[in-house]
Amino acid sequence: MFKNEVTLLKKENLRQMENVKEDDKDTIYEIMKSMSVFKVNSYDAQIIQRDLIGMAQDSELRGADLKNVIGNDIKSFSNEIIKNSYGPSIIEILLSFFTLLSGYLFGMHILPAYLQYQSLS
């Protein structure tokens, strides 16, 4: 089965997040929430999340929280990360748009057919 690096990173990040404290999870989610596909591409976002998880695990070994390590201004920390990333991927933005559009078109054709014939066959 074909697996790309983004999928592998996402699975590894989910597995590693289980070992992170709840406060640090909230901080990581808060930082990642500000990184949409229009600001950072998916691969960079997964790399950033992996690094944040590593920082959280490292801070836990030292007896601190991730929020104390990064500072209280999470917004400026997130903006600094976004500024230093490679930025958005035009292809990824277009593919997500076409995926959403095809879902709407599919729904617009299936729903009337089901309502009219009370079955999809």
Side-chain angles (χ1 to χ4, degrees):
M1 188 169 152
F2 176 74
K3 295 199 181 222
N4 63 15
E5 290 184 47
V6 176
T7 306
L8 294 174
L9 275 170
K10 194 177 286 188
K11 285 183 181 180
E12 180 64 24
N13 286 342
L14 286 173
R15 193 175 63 74
Q16 289 292 324
M17 280 293 273
E18 294 172 357
N19 302 327
V20 176
K21 293 186 304 186
E22 285 299 318
D23 292 339
D24 292 344
K25 281 183 189 179
D26 294 340
T27 305
I28 291 172
Y29 286 135
E30 191 175 332
I31 293 170
M32 296 306 295
K33 189 171 46 174
S34 67
M35 295 182 200
S36 70
V37 72
F38 296 107
K39 296 179 182 176
V40 178
N41 62 54
S42 296
Y43 182 75
D44 284 347
Q46 292 304 315
I47 294 292
I48 291 166
Q49 186 174 7
R50 181 187 67 184
D51 293 344
L52 289 170
I53 292 169
M55 287 173 64
Q57 291 171 342
D58 204 34
S59 67
E60 187 176 350
L61 290 175
R62 289 186 270 140
D65 286 350
L66 181 62
K67 206 170 216 175
N68 294 339
V69 172
I70 339 178
N72 289 331
D73 195 8
I74 293 177
K75 183 95 170 146
S76 67
F77 181 77
S78 300
N79 289 337
E80 191 68 29
I81 291 174
I82 291 169
K83 189 171 70 173
N84 291 327
S85 73
Y86 287 113
S89 170
I90 304 298
I91 294 171
E92 189 175 1
I93 293 171
L94 287 174
L95 286 175
S96 64
F97 170 74
F98 285 126
T99 302
L100 187 64
L101 181 66
S102 65
Y104 284 139
L105 292 175
F106 181 74
M108 287 173 47
H109 287 35
I110 292 297
L111 184 63
Y114 182 76
L115 292 175
Q116 186 174 3
Y117 301 112
Q118 296 299 318
S119 116
L120 294 176
S121 59

